[in-house]
Amino acid sequence: MSTDLNSPFRTKSVEQSIRDTEEPEHALRKSLSAWDLTVFGVGVIIGTGIFVLTGIAARNNAGPATALAFVAAGIVCALAALCYAEFASTVPVAGSAYTFAYASIGELPAWIIGWDLVLEFALGTAVVAVGWSGYVRNLMETNLGWDMPVALSGPDAGGTFDLLAFLLILVLTAVLVIGTKLSARITAIVVAIKVTVVMLVIVAGLFFIKADNYSPFIPPAQPQEAGGGVHAPLVQLLFGYAPTNFGVMGIFTAASLIFFAFIGFDVVATAAEETKNPQRDMPRGILGSLMICTVLYVAVTLVVTGMQHYTEMSPSAPLAEAFKSVGQPFFAGAISLGASVGLITVCMILLLGQTRVFFAMSRDGLLPRVFSVTHPKYRTPYRATVLLGVVIAVLAGFTSLEKLAELVNIGTLFAFVIVALGVIIMRRTRPDLHRAFRTPWVPLVPILSIAASLWLMLNLPAETWIRFGIWMAVGIVVYFLYGRGHSRLGRTGRDAKF
């Protein structure tokens, strides 16, 4: 942390960050409530993870104990959520971890985390859009007899361009330009459908549970097939520790995988500036959505692994296939429809999060200021939204996106580390700040959050670390070539005015 305006670790005060939100040309409309934030959180968290990763984790890593893996991953997220809640209520400014890092650690770390979030949200949006396209094509072919031309079905289906994924992102971009309140209303409707599907799985599935499927609840440990070189988990290369499948340690191996199912609650923090009462509502939205989803995840996992033995679970559509296995195709179809509808909100909220981080970086001068101008009528960052929407639509349309879930995971966990570290620093440097919500047991909770996040990061393959390192290196180059010289904070003493 530094107050030297020439230092790359110069910090932007909380007071200055809040004053920036009052500039008419760069101000966002405050229209969201605690309910809206909770709906956003549930809308983005319940998605690909629960509909797909449950089967993979149960079949390959933890068996019925996958429910405990969801608890473990939920605890890691809860530790981070407590830190996010303090920052979001204290610094109610768009940008989430980027803004928090700028106020506590410094400009360069803030740039790095902002650069990381841009990648995380972009890849996450594209991945989910491609997954949604696959669900919709399958429903069209199965129920309506409509076959998409192969050329327009995307690279993953042997085509060239994924038209459905491309159009979905463009439509969502238009919705976000019109306003976050409209986004919240659409999200509320879709979330209601998605939660109904999850509750359907839980309630209907209870009638088909067989106790024998829970035996053994924690299957005997098995060594993982050795991954060589960059394909091996980093923890194995550094410490010689090879993660196991099944057994007690298999639960943590599964937690590293299904962590993807929790990604999204941090997106709630990016909407702090558009919240009517952020000091009260941000903690409720962040912690409430995480708690609801963790309970639903554990319940779904217990029901599904009770319906079908973990060794027979589908790695691609575990919920639907579990109902097919007990002769209930109607429920299987309803689940597939709910999944396809539900993924729409995941895309929209990830895109919302990315545009707000991009907007905050632009307003600070680290990216071109033209992208921080808000629409005169809708008060949304329309230029940044349109730019990013078009780029991600093209990315989703033309790209076959493999192994990107791991890259999204490492980016999110890195953000968790930075935010937890920021809470510790801010408690020491700004004890005078009014904190509507205070992370309990500081520094213990932030330290535990950092340790848990780093542990899950170490369980990711070394190749994921390499890709992440390359993206970060490119970001540092961009910062020193453009961001540092155009930073409004750095130019305060020369020719810029806040």
Side-chain angles (χ1 to χ4, degrees):
M1 177 175 178
S2 175
T3 56
D4 180 4
L5 295 183
N6 292 317
S7 168
F9 292 93
R10 54 203 174 202
T11 54
K12 182 179 179 181
S13 70
V14 172
E15 293 79 5
Q16 185 60 65
S17 296
I18 294 175
R19 282 198 297 272
D20 284 353
T21 68
E22 299 169 355
E23 296 179 340
E25 191 179 24
H26 305 284
L28 299 173
R29 176 174 292 164
K30 296 182 180 296
S31 60
L32 301 178
S33 64
W35 171 254
D36 294 326
L37 295 173
T38 303
V39 169
F40 270 145
V42 174
V44 73
I45 296 172
I46 297 181
T48 307
I50 188 62
F51 290 118
V52 176
L53 295 181
T54 304
I56 298 174
R59 181 169 179 161
N60 300 333
N61 303 114
T66 299
L68 299 180
F70 273 112
V71 172
I75 290 173
V76 173
C77 291
L79 292 170
L82 291 170
C83 298
Y84 269 88
E86 174 168 318
F87 261 127
S89 61
T90 307
V91 194
V93 178
S96 185
Y98 158 77
T99 299
F100 307 156
Y102 210 162
S104 58
I105 305 175
E107 184 174 275
L108 179 57
W111 165 267
I112 291 174
I113 197 63
W115 187 253
D116 162 52
L117 290 175
V118 168
L119 174 71
E120 172 197 336
F121 292 149
L123 296 182
T125 305
V127 168
V128 176
V130 171
W132 172 85
S133 175
Y135 267 112
V136 172
R137 288 197 310 271
N138 181 64
L139 287 170
M140 289 167 56
E141 294 167 3
T142 304
N143 300 307
L144 302 175
W146 297 350
D147 293 330
M148 281 287 292
V150 175
L152 298 178
S153 297
D156 289 332
T160 304
F161 182 73
D162 194 327
L163 179 63
L164 292 178
F166 176 81
L167 293 177
L168 172 66
I169 295 177
L170 290 186
V171 170
L172 296 180
T173 298
V175 171
L176 290 176
V177 166
I178 294 174
T180 52
K181 192 62 181 179
L182 174 61
S183 308
R185 290 169 180 164
I186 294 174
T187 300
I189 295 171
V190 177
V191 167
I193 296 172
K194 186 158 47 175
V195 172
T196 300
V197 170
V198 173
M199 293 303 297
L200 178 68
V201 172
I202 296 171
V203 176
L206 286 173
F207 295 96
F208 302 102
I209 289 176
K210 297 179 181 178
D212 292 345
N213 289 332
Y214 289 130
S215 182
F217 190 76
I218 302 179
Q222 299 175 8
Q224 287 188 6
E225 294 183 10
V230 296
H231 300 292
L234 188 62
V235 67
Q236 181 177 336
L237 298 179
L238 292 178
F239 307 111
Y241 163 74
T244 64
N245 290 326
F246 307 112
V248 174
M249 295 310 297
I251 295 173
F252 296 101
T253 303
S256 298
L257 170 68
I258 61 176
F259 176 80
F260 184 81
F262 285 93
I263 287 176
F265 79 84
D266 54 318
V267 179
V268 175
T270 66
E273 193 172 325
E274 295 160 273
T275 303
K276 296 176 183 177
N277 188 345
Q279 288 76 15
R280 181 196 66 191
D281 294 342
M282 288 305 301
R284 293 180 179 181
I286 293 172
L287 297 171
S289 59
L290 181 61
M291 185 181 303
I292 291 170
C293 292
T294 301
V295 171
L296 291 177
Y297 282 179
V298 172
V300 166
T301 305
L302 288 173
V303 168
V304 172
T305 53
M307 291 174 64
Q308 187 176 30
H309 198 267
Y310 72 91
T311 57
E312 301 172 354
M313 292 190 70
S314 167
S316 58
L319 277 60
E321 291 299 322
F323 277 96
K324 286 184 180 179
S325 71
V326 294
Q328 299 294 324
F330 169 78
F331 291 112
I335 291 168
S336 295
L337 178 61
S340 62
V341 173
L343 292 179
I344 295 174
T345 57
V346 180
C347 279
M348 182 166 64
I349 301 170
L350 286 174
L351 183 58
L352 169 72
Q354 188 192 38
T355 58
R356 274 29 178 195
V357 173
F358 200 87
F359 166 80
M361 297 172 74
S362 170
R363 187 166 59 187
D364 290 331
L366 301 181
L367 291 171
R369 288 268 291 169
V370 67
F371 295 114
S372 63
V373 175
T374 55
H375 193 280
K377 178 180 179 181
Y378 302 121
R379 310 310 304 172
T380 57
Y382 67 106
R383 293 175 179 174
T385 302
V386 171
L387 171 69
L388 295 170
V390 171
V391 169
I392 298 174
V394 172
L395 178 67
F398 284 106
T399 309
S400 178
L401 303 170
E402 297 179 0
K403 292 190 175 294
L404 291 183
E406 292 173 346
L407 198 54
V408 176
N409 278 4
I410 196 172
T412 304
L413 289 164
F414 179 66
F416 287 2
V417 171
I418 296 296
V419 171
L421 183 61
V423 167
I424 297 174
I425 293 174
M426 285 287 280
R427 285 289 186 95
R428 289 180 173 272
T429 59
R430 293 297 308 273
D432 58 304
L433 279 177
H434 171 67
R435 292 168 168 85
F437 178 89
R438 298 176 67 89
T439 304
W441 304 315
V442 173
L444 177 60
V445 167
I447 289 174
L448 289 175
S449 177
I450 292 170
S453 298
L454 287 175
W455 173 251
L456 291 185
M457 291 171 74
L458 289 173
N459 278 277
L460 293 170
E463 60 186 332
T464 302
W465 282 82
I466 293 172
R467 295 190 187 105
F468 182 67
I470 292 172
W471 177 255
M472 290 294 102
V474 171
I476 291 174
V477 171
V478 172
Y479 170 76
F480 282 103
L481 290 180
Y482 181 89
R484 187 179 185 187
H486 291 79
S487 165
R488 296 179 71 200
L489 182 62
R491 299 175 62 186
T492 301
R494 301 198 297 275
D495 57 351
K497 293 182 180 180
F498 277 104

